Amino acid sequence: MATQNTKMERIVALCKRRGVLFQSSEIYGGIGGFWDYGPLGVELKRNVREAWWRDMVSGHDDTVPPEGAPSSYDMVGLDTTIIMHPQVWKASGHYDLFYDLFVDCRTCKARFRADQVHDSQCPRKPSKRPGEHDDCDLTDPREFNLMFKTYVGALLDPTAEAYLRPETAQGMFVNFKNVLSSTRVKVPFGMAQIGKAFRNEITPRNFTFRSREFEQMEIEFFCAPDTSSAWYDYWRDRRIAWYESLGLNSHALRLREHGPNERAHYSCGTADIEYAFPFLPDGEFGELEGVSHRSDFDLRSHIEGKLIRDGDALVVERDEDGQPRHAGSGKDLSYFDDTTQTKYVPHVIEPSAGADRATLAFLCEAYDEDAIPDENGVPQERVVLRLHPRLAPIKAAVFPLVRKDGQPDVAAEIYRGLKKRWNVAYDERGSIGKRYRRQDESGTPYCITVDHQTMDDQTVTVRERDTTRQERVKINELEAYVAQSLESAT
Ligand code: GAP
């Protein structure tokens, strides 16, 4: 079996070979931190997003408390813009505080994240860490804001400056009142959004794990202050269970509660859901999702202006004239709770996931190599993606055993029938063994083969990806068979 490091290299090679992921602008040498999803990858990532949306939003039952929840709650979706009013980022704190510290080498001009200097390589040979060559000349750590800046309109002056959002969350906070007044939701309720986010990471690395353009799947859950701890516990448990339900091994997952010094100044509790990605050394984990208890920080920031911590309290940061350093909207974003007859600024629990990191984790978990007997019983090595059927890019592939005797026509008809419901492939090229191998590498749960017997008794073979077990199924029962098999695996 592949060692951890080799395993990652093999996963990257598979992604390129099968069209899961390509380097962006590859024919021009690529651009660091940007990735394109190929024909197979786009389906995989769509399925990750759709599973999240279905399980968190559209499939949510507003009328009963889900298991472990303090009460029932409403859930709505949003799709907000990437470019927002620049004041949003000033009030939220991103304009002042969303930076990493970096270190430059004046000799070789390379740039490193200050907290990663000891794990980085100087670009010069022989390979050493930054600072270890005699003539390395490192600067002191300096701040680097991670937001991409752009201009709105024709004038390239400071009044036209705007930012690509570094998170989807703010689009939901600023729509709090709009959602309350246009729907029938009441606190507690959640808003959910899937969308692109952009961060000018100093050192993008580890395939899509740290990219400059990526997608987030975020929930902002609004609740009464006195219930917020119970909701924080609920969301932490609910979110880690979601990854397990889609196939991540619980031994490779962990929930890591942040210590008080690691938390953001507004946070009353943050837990990372982490996965043992194969590019990390044994025993190390990488963040998949953060679940954060953000108190009333977000809504208050958009009411009052940028907040800073003062002892136990969050207070508006003021300039030398006593004015808010960055003003909020001044709009009333408080909530009147008619069950308790109280008015308060809701607290927020935020489960914030990365669609690309989740996709990468599902890919890493699914990747496997084994040996299975070929048509002559000789063991053959294969690569197989043991993806959960909900995530599999292609649900079934249909093959005629030979390209004659009417088999392609029957196979194409089956393909067209199944295609109405699922993403299904048709393939008549190459040996049947090679066609199976191709689908195994793509993670296709079922291969359906039309053979000589089909022409006599209207049955086909259905081969299951993980076990390679084959069954004969009547053509007119095939759709129900595939539906039931996909369903029972979920
Ligand atoms: N609104 C809170 C927020 O954005 P975050 O921990 O900065 O929190 C949430 O980001 C998730 O977004 C992370 O857990 C990760 O899955 C994903 N993410 C963050 N930065 C990323 C990057 N550079 N590349 C890929 N995914 C990233």
Side-chain angles (χ1 to χ4, degrees):
M1 202 42 64
T3 64
Q4 290 291 288
N5 223 350
T6 329
K7 181 176 173 187
M8 196 61 218
E9 283 163 17
R10 292 188 194 190
I11 291 169
V12 173
L14 171 79
C15 285
K16 168 99 179 157
R17 184 167 77 241
R18 284 286 170 242
V20 180
L21 276 155
F22 307 123
Q23 206 184 358
S24 167
S25 323
E26 192 185 278
I27 61 169
Y28 288 101
I31 169 166
F34 296 90
W35 295 93
D36 293 335
Y37 285 79
L40 212 58
V42 72
E43 295 291 340
L44 174 61
K45 191 169 149 191
R46 275 173 64 103
N47 292 342
V48 171
R49 284 194 302 245
E50 274 166 23
W52 185 89
W53 193 263
R54 175 87 203 134
D55 295 346
M56 298 299 124
V57 189
S58 59
H60 170 70
D61 180 346
D62 295 341
T63 63
V64 286
E67 201 187 322
S71 70
S72 61
Y73 60 89
D74 295 321
M75 197 75 190
V76 294
L78 245 64
D79 184 5
T80 69
T81 61
I82 285 170
I83 294 178
M84 301 173 70
H85 194 293
Q87 196 62 22
V88 168
W89 307 110
K90 294 187 173 164
S92 71
H94 285 82
Y95 180 81
D96 288 342
L97 300 171
F98 196 60
Y99 59 77
D100 274 343
L101 291 174
F102 72 92
V103 164
D104 277 330
C105 177
R106 295 187 189 91
T107 310
C108 70
K109 311 292 179 219
R111 175 164 285 185
F112 311 97
R113 250 173 70 162
D115 61 345
Q116 289 173 354
V117 167
H118 299 297
D119 301 327
S120 303
Q121 291 287 308
C122 172
R124 290 180 301 151
K125 299 281 175 251
S127 178
K128 288 188 179 185
R129 281 195 277 270
E132 290 183 349
H133 286 285
D134 287 343
D135 55 349
C136 280
D137 184 8
L138 301 182
T139 62
D140 287 336
R142 288 182 281 174
E143 289 174 6
F144 174 75
N145 195 301
L146 299 181
M147 287 197 293
F148 280 99
K149 196 186 279 185
T150 186
Y151 295 89
V152 175
L155 288 178
L156 301 188
D157 69 22
T159 60
E161 277 173 10
Y163 302 90
L164 304 191
R165 67 181 177 200
E167 60 171 22
T168 64
Q170 300 302 324
M172 295 187 265
F173 297 134
V174 301
N175 274 297
F176 177 71
K177 271 272 131 105
N178 282 337
V179 169
L180 271 185
S181 62
S182 61
T183 67
R184 298 176 62 83
V185 298
K186 286 176 180 290
V187 171
F189 75 95
M191 287 186 205
Q193 165 154 240
I194 298 178
K196 290 268 187 178
F198 301 81
R199 295 182 190 178
N200 199 0
E201 300 282 358
I202 297 168
T203 46
R205 53 163 72 174
N206 291 330
F207 210 18
T208 57
F209 182 82
R210 190 175 303 287
S211 312
R212 289 181 165 133
E213 175 175 340
F214 56 95
E215 231 166 331
Q216 290 188 315
M217 308 186 290
E218 294 199 291
I219 294 171
E220 305 306 331
F221 190 81
F222 300 92
C223 56
D226 59 346
T227 61
S228 55
S229 294
W231 283 111
Y232 173 60
D233 292 348
Y234 164 72
W235 279 110
R236 263 184 355 194
D237 299 347
R238 172 92 195 265
R239 290 300 306 146
I240 197 162
W242 184 79
Y243 292 101
E244 287 170 355
S245 76
L246 289 170
L248 291 195
N249 185 333
S250 55
H251 299 297
L253 273 174
R254 75 173 186 192
L255 195 67
R256 190 180 64 80
E257 199 75 48
H258 287 203
N261 295 337
E262 200 186 345
R263 283 189 219 138
H265 62 286
Y266 48 79
S267 168
C268 307
T270 297
D272 284 346
I273 298 173
E274 299 181 329
Y275 178 71
F277 285 96
F279 50 76
L280 296 170
D282 262 357
E284 287 192 16
F285 290 74
E287 179 186 330
L288 263 183
E289 168 163 351
V291 182
S292 195
H293 181 327
R294 301 174 62 93
S295 67
D296 56 4
F297 171 80
D298 302 288
L299 292 179
R300 273 189 61 204
S301 302
H302 288 301
I303 302 169
E304 301 169 44
K306 186 190 159 203
L307 299 176
I308 51 171
R309 182 155 289 284
D310 182 8
D312 284 345
L314 289 169
V315 296
V316 175
E317 186 179 8
R318 303 210 172 257
D319 61 20
E320 46 288 2
D321 302 322
Q323 295 304 309
R325 177 166 154 72
H326 295 301
S329 67
K331 301 283 185 299
D332 180 10
L333 304 180
S334 62
Y335 177 77
F336 181 75
D337 194 327
D338 49 20
T339 52
T340 56
Q341 296 290 303
T342 50
K343 192 173 174 188
Y344 52 81
V345 175
H347 279 211
V348 169
I349 312 300
E350 179 192 66
S352 171
D356 307 86
R357 281 197 194 167
T359 303
L360 185 60
F362 290 126
L363 262 175
C364 293
E365 182 77 38
Y367 183 92
D368 197 11
E369 296 166 7
D370 65 5
I372 50 163
D374 66 9
E375 302 90 291
N376 306 313
V378 182
Q380 300 288 334
E381 288 203 347
R382 70 164 178 168
V383 169
V384 54
L385 277 188
R386 300 187 194 279
L387 286 168
H388 191 286
R390 284 181 81 188
L391 303 182
I394 302 168
K395 305 299 181 205
V398 188
F399 314 142
L401 183 63
V402 291
R403 272 198 272 185
K404 56 183 185 179
D405 304 334
Q407 289 182 22
D409 292 340
V410 177
E413 204 178 316
I414 292 173
Y415 159 76
R416 281 183 215 115
L418 297 178
K419 189 98 185 157
K420 290 186 187 134
R421 272 182 84 171
W422 299 289
N423 190 25
V424 175
Y426 175 84
D427 189 3
E428 55 176 34
R429 281 175 297 166
S431 74
I432 193 74
K434 280 209 177 112
R435 282 181 268 169
Y436 282 150
R437 251 22 121 250
R438 197 179 170 81
Q439 294 304 326
D440 289 343
E441 284 201 346
S442 304
T444 307
Y446 302 104
C447 288
I448 297 159
T449 305
V450 170
D451 57 15
H452 307 294
Q453 194 180 326
T454 310
M455 312 319 267
D456 295 334
D457 67 3
Q458 306 298 302
T459 64
V460 291
T461 64
V462 181
R463 171 188 177 272
E464 200 270 333
R465 176 195 68 202
D466 294 347
T467 58
T468 72
R469 197 169 49 86
Q470 299 201 16
E471 249 188 277
R472 285 210 84 87
V473 178
K474 290 194 179 126
I475 293 176
N476 60 9
E477 291 171 6
L478 198 53
E479 185 177 332
Y481 177 93
V482 174
Q484 210 256 321
S485 307
L486 289 172
E487 192 84 344
S488 64
T490 62

